[in-house]
Amino acid sequence: MRRIHVGNALSAFGLGFTVPYLYLYVARVRELGAVTAGLVLAVFAVAALVVLPFAGRAIVRRGPLPVLLTALLTTAAGALSLGLAADAPTVLLSAAVLGAGQAVMQPALATMIVDCSTAQTRSRAFAVQFFLQNLGLGVGGLIGGHLVDVSRASSFTLLFSIEAVMFLLLVVIMTTVRVPHAPATATTHQGGRASRRRLLGDPAMVRLSVLGFVLFFACYGQFESGLSAYGVETAGISTSALGTALAANTAVIVIAQFAVLRFVERRKRTRVIAAVGLIWAAAWAVAGYAGLGNGSRAMATAAFVTTYGLFGLGEAMLAPTVAPLVADLAPTGLAGRYNAAFALVKQLALALGPAVGGPLAASLPAPYIVTFLLCSLGITFLALRLGRLLTPVQNQPPVRSRVVAQGSAAAGHAPARA
């Protein structure tokens, strides 16, 4: 589990180097224009949507580790190729390779966490994963920002090369991991269509997928598109203030993650998700206040930073809640299929979120705020409805005692699981 968490941190660190500067790199440094840069971002989403249905089947049949190693090598090749690309076809092809590798990494790593944890320790494991991902992205983006120089394409080539090295280093680390194999069952050996029917016939998973779509559509899908456009164009905040708001989001996650974990572990998961919907509704209301224009620019900036901070608090509450719930709903042997399906829902939401939110925020700012405030309240409604379909253990697994955990390690059980 420690190696898996190191892997999460390294992968996030590598992505943080390049993701914030990808649009700038394609549009200005390679002088390929805004249209090509926009297509690159779209290619990332399309590549993920293409490969994720196959990723779930591969994880079930081959295990998460071989799939992860393949994805890491693919991602490293895509990053290096993108750093060297100078024309539009090569850039788009490299983006497709990089996007496909990144997309497959998510369910593979999530399945490895499931295999190396129990129902009692799973929430904490996913909370650590989310914490390290945000820390890695923040540190990577900070260092990358000091290395890039728009006037020198070689500085971006260095950036993408460092990203590729991070993923190759991660390959070396992951080859030392021994993941416990899930026990073989009749479910494990079902064909692709049979396991897909099993998933689609699971009412709790279907409802969780709908809830997940709204979660990612109304929050993550707006961060770098509609909400940022609304802040700059309607609320009148500066781009530097927008950077401060994004930093506040990451800071809240990093600072609050483990304090929030103690709160989350002792409550029903669906009620935690419902509370997140209310918190995000408050965040959208504060964003609406920032755009009213009744106060000073300093007040608008403070309100916008508060909005991103509230979103961060909600994200910290979701990290130890949603992903473990997906794992606990999966029948034995199908964790990879369930993780890949949920990742596919996430990618759909992240693709549609900016497409809907960006134009709406630019042309109709007031309806934009109202729409996503209602989406947040919808999260609360859907979460409470989901609670009716879950067993008591699925909705609130028992919290593992630290005393028991230490005793088990002393008896030699922990190394067997590692």
Side-chain angles (χ1 to χ4, degrees), residues 49-91:
L49 296 177
V50 170
V51 301
L52 279 171
F54 302 99
R57 184 186 304 179
I59 292 171
V60 170
R61 292 185 175 182
R62 304 294 181 184
L65 184 55
V67 174
L68 175 63
L69 294 176
T70 302
L72 289 172
L73 291 172
T74 302
T75 306
L80 184 60
S81 175
L82 193 57
L84 297 172
D87 55 80
T90 308
V91 164

Side-chain angles (χ1 to χ4, degrees), residues 103-129:
V104 176
M105 282 167 51
Q106 297 178 27
L109 280 168
T111 305
M112 290 176 70
I113 291 176
V114 172
D115 291 343
C116 293
S117 63
T118 65
Q120 292 80 11
T121 61
R122 198 158 290 149
S123 292
R124 187 167 293 272
F126 277 102
V128 172
Q129 178 201 31

Side-chain angles (χ1 to χ4, degrees), residues 6 10 23 51 80 119 129 192 215 219 230 235 260 264 279 293 313 319 329 335 340 352 361 375 395 410:
V6 168
L10 284 176
Y23 186 94
V51 301
L80 184 60
Q129 178 201 31
L215 281 168
C219 174
Y230 172 86
V260 165
V264 168
I279 291 171
L313 178 61
L329 288 178
L352 292 175
C375 283
N395 207 3

Side-chain angles (χ1 to χ4, degrees), residues 96-157:
V97 173
L98 181 58
Q102 288 179 16
V104 176
M105 282 167 51
Q106 297 178 27
L109 280 168
T111 305
M112 290 176 70
I113 291 176
V114 172
D115 291 343
C116 293
S117 63
T118 65
Q120 292 80 11
T121 61
R122 198 158 290 149
S123 292
R124 187 167 293 272
F126 277 102
V128 172
Q129 178 201 31
F130 191 67
F131 168 82
L132 291 174
Q133 282 180 342
N134 279 276
L135 188 62
L137 285 170
V139 174
L142 181 64
I143 296 176
H146 288 284
L147 292 179
V148 295
D149 183 351
V150 179
S151 63
R152 292 190 301 112
S154 59
S155 67
F156 285 85
T157 302

Side-chain angles (χ1 to χ4, degrees), residues 26-60:
V26 176
R28 293 183 56 186
V29 177
R30 292 302 183 186
E31 298 180 348
L32 297 177
V35 174
T36 302
L39 286 175
V40 166
L41 299 178
V43 163
F44 270 95
V46 171
L49 296 177
V50 170
V51 301
L52 279 171
F54 302 99
R57 184 186 304 179
I59 292 171
V60 170

Side-chain angles (χ1 to χ4, degrees), residues 187-204:
T187 303
T188 308
H189 298 295
Q190 286 179 345
R193 292 183 180 178
S195 60
R196 193 181 305 114
R197 285 197 299 269
R198 178 74 178 267
L199 189 153
L200 294 175
D202 185 341

Side-chain angles (χ1 to χ4, degrees), residues 131-183:
F131 168 82
L132 291 174
Q133 282 180 342
N134 279 276
L135 188 62
L137 285 170
V139 174
L142 181 64
I143 296 176
H146 288 284
L147 292 179
V148 295
D149 183 351
V150 179
S151 63
R152 292 190 301 112
S154 59
S155 67
F156 285 85
T157 302
L158 174 63
L159 222 62
F160 283 101
S161 299
I162 293 173
E163 181 183 18
V165 170
M166 289 294 105
F167 289 114
L168 293 177
L169 177 60
L170 187 47
V171 169
V172 175
I173 294 174
M174 287 296 128
T175 54
T176 67
V177 175
R178 290 176 293 174
V179 181
H181 294 286

